[in-house]
Amino acid sequence: MKNKLGIYIHVPFCAAKCAYCDFYSLAGQLSQADAYVTRLCADIAQAAPQCADYTVDTIYFGGGTPSLLGGRRLAQILDTIFSTFSVEPDAEITVEANPDSMTEEFLTLSRQAGANRLSMGIQSAHDDELRAIGRIHTFAQAQDAFSRARQAGFQNLSVDLMYALPGQTMGKLSQSIDALLALEPEHLSCYGLTIEPHTPLGCANPVLPDEDTQADMYLLLCEKMARAGFSHYEISNFARPGFHSRHNSRYWKQSPYLGFGPGAHADFCGKRTEHVRDLIAWLSGASPVPEDTEIDRAAEYIMLSLRTAEGWDSAYYADTFHQDPKPIEQALSALPGLVIHTGSRWHLTDPGFLLSNTIILTALEAR
């Protein structure tokens, strides 16, 4: 049986830069899109021979705004992957999409080319909140785009929601959750707004809900999603049965993946590499370079596993990393109500997820 491999494609183009965004993305440079696709497809074809012992089971187009590339370019990229890699028939192929760029051409051609999952950046059901964070779509546009995605044949749709937005109240968040659930998505990712100092939103220094309110918002979300039948399988992610993100799960499980495009990272054959966060330098032929920091895989396993509902497995930890799990078990057992222990697995409760950074640090310090 061949090993499994994921492929991540970073698409740096955006129609407009969101006020909070810290990802590598560029507004107003779509004129470079064809050159980008040409370099990308060349890189993919060049990498394929070293992966003969692998089958690709997940492909993820992230950004930026991949839907802005349009269906024709996305189909060209997918055709290159299918013709050079061994791709499993049921591979999960995700494209991040914003409502304002989900054209009929994008939906029809990307679906025909093999894309079978969309991750839609909706963020809020309130237009004033969307404007406050620099989003250029309205909620009505998001509802229409979601409906058209269904009509185009997408049966696996994920939506993004943000909380702790400027001026947001518990009532408005509750309304957004209900409005997104009314769309009947298979998956929901929810993130608290983090303001980076050098972003436009950081420079504006808006008033956000206080920490206690943010905690109440997160617990409200968890409660509503559980009532709607979604499993809380990772700190920020909820899914109906059978619809967890297979690609994102490979990151949390330290599974191998290749990365293509400016700003993309890869973890393959035990080595981490990253592409330069510079479209022009990348188009000029810049090669990926090793990441600066040496990887402590055991510590990383602790950090990533405690983010998930599966949790940290002490038996796996001992067998894989040859380290004594007892000090970590003792540290976690001292956190009743925040950590649950079942067999060799330790996982956080919803209140525990709220304090995940502190709990993970406690586990790491106990090693």
Side-chain angles (χ1 to χ4, degrees):
M1 180 181 294
K2 290 188 175 183
N3 298 312
K4 309 292 185 184
L5 180 68
I7 291 178
Y8 174 76
I9 308 290
H10 190 75
V11 181
F13 306 107
C14 278
K17 186 85 169 176
C18 295
Y20 57 86
C21 181
D22 191 41
F23 293 109
Y24 180 62
S25 60
L26 305 164
Q29 296 199 31
L30 197 58
S31 61
Q32 300 279 6
D34 288 331
Y36 161 86
V37 172
T38 298
R39 163 79 201 266
L40 190 73
C41 290
D43 281 0
I44 291 168
Q46 184 177 15
Q50 64 181 311
C51 304
D53 294 333
Y54 292 82
T55 59
V56 174
D57 63 344
T58 67
I59 301 169
Y60 194 102
F61 290 82
T65 308
S67 53
L68 197 61
L69 277 182
R72 177 184 61 81
R73 295 188 185 100
L74 284 164
Q76 183 180 345
I77 297 167
L78 283 171
D79 286 347
T80 300
I81 295 173
F82 282 118
S83 64
T84 55
F85 282 84
S86 174
V87 181
E88 297 190 350
D90 67 342
E92 176 194 83
I93 303 175
T94 303
V95 182
E96 290 184 354
N98 282 346
D100 49 281
S101 56
M102 290 173 60
T103 64
E104 295 304 319
E105 186 264 0
F106 160 73
L107 290 170
T108 301
L109 295 186
S110 62
R111 183 68 192 94
Q112 289 176 352
N116 52 29
R117 182 175 184 269
L118 296 182
S119 177
M120 294 181 58
I122 297 180
Q123 315 307 358
S124 172
H126 298 282
D127 291 348
D128 59 330
E129 291 180 347
L130 293 171
R131 288 192 298 270
I133 58 175
R135 303 293 289 184
I136 61 175
H137 68 270
T138 65
F139 185 59
Q141 284 179 299
Q143 291 172 303
D144 177 64
F146 191 98
S147 175
R148 289 187 292 104
R150 286 285 194 227
Q151 293 168 14
F154 286 94
Q155 298 179 12
N156 188 354
L157 294 176
S158 176
V159 296
D160 285 358
L161 175 69
M162 296 184 75
Y163 69 95
L165 302 179
Q168 189 176 51
T169 63
M170 290 287 289
K172 290 185 76 171
L173 174 63
S174 181
Q175 290 168 0
S176 282
I177 298 169
D178 291 343
L180 291 186
L181 286 174
L183 296 174
E184 299 187 351
E186 283 70 38
H187 186 280
L188 184 141
S189 296
C190 186
Y191 306 99
L193 175 64
T194 299
I195 296 184
E196 302 295 341
H198 58 279
T199 62
L201 202 60
C203 295
N205 195 28
V207 177
L208 305 182
D210 60 38
E211 288 189 7
D212 288 343
T213 302
Q214 291 189 32
D216 289 341
M217 286 177 164
Y218 180 78
L219 294 176
L220 172 69
L221 171 74
C222 295
E223 178 188 344
K224 280 182 168 285
M225 297 307 294
R227 250 190 275 141
F230 285 71
S231 64
H232 190 182
Y233 73 98
E234 193 270 344
I235 287 181
S236 302
N237 289 277
F238 304 80
R240 295 193 185 279
F243 287 98
H244 68 282
S245 171
R246 287 160 52 191
H247 185 84
N248 286 340
S249 293
R250 77 179 326 115
Y251 299 146
W252 306 321
K253 295 179 179 179
Q254 300 175 299
S255 299
Y257 64 95
L258 295 178
F260 299 98
H265 293 248
D267 187 352
F268 185 67
C269 291
K271 297 180 180 179
R272 291 261 173 83
T273 56
E274 57 184 329
H275 283 277
V276 62
R277 288 167 60 102
D278 184 325
L279 175 62
I280 302 305
W282 180 80
L283 286 174
S284 298
S287 299
V289 297
E291 290 192 359
D292 291 338
T293 55
E294 188 174 340
I295 309 168
D296 183 341
R297 297 278 182 177
E300 186 180 67
Y301 170 67
I302 295 168
M303 290 186 288
L304 295 174
S305 64
L306 285 175
R307 291 182 57 90
T308 70
E310 290 186 3
W312 176 75
D313 188 329
S314 59
Y316 174 85
Y317 178 79
D319 292 343
T320 303
F321 304 106
H322 310 293
Q323 296 188 18
D324 184 4
K326 289 187 177 61
I328 299 174
E329 291 178 314
Q330 291 172 357
L332 295 178
S333 64
L335 301 170
L338 302 177
V339 182
I340 294 176
H341 175 212
T342 307
S344 63
R345 290 191 176 274
W346 301 73
H347 62 92
L348 307 189
T349 61
D350 286 344
F353 278 146
L354 273 172
L355 300 172
S356 60
N357 289 341
T358 300
I359 294 172
I360 289 169
L361 182 60
T362 298
L364 290 172
E365 290 176 341
R367 290 203 296 162

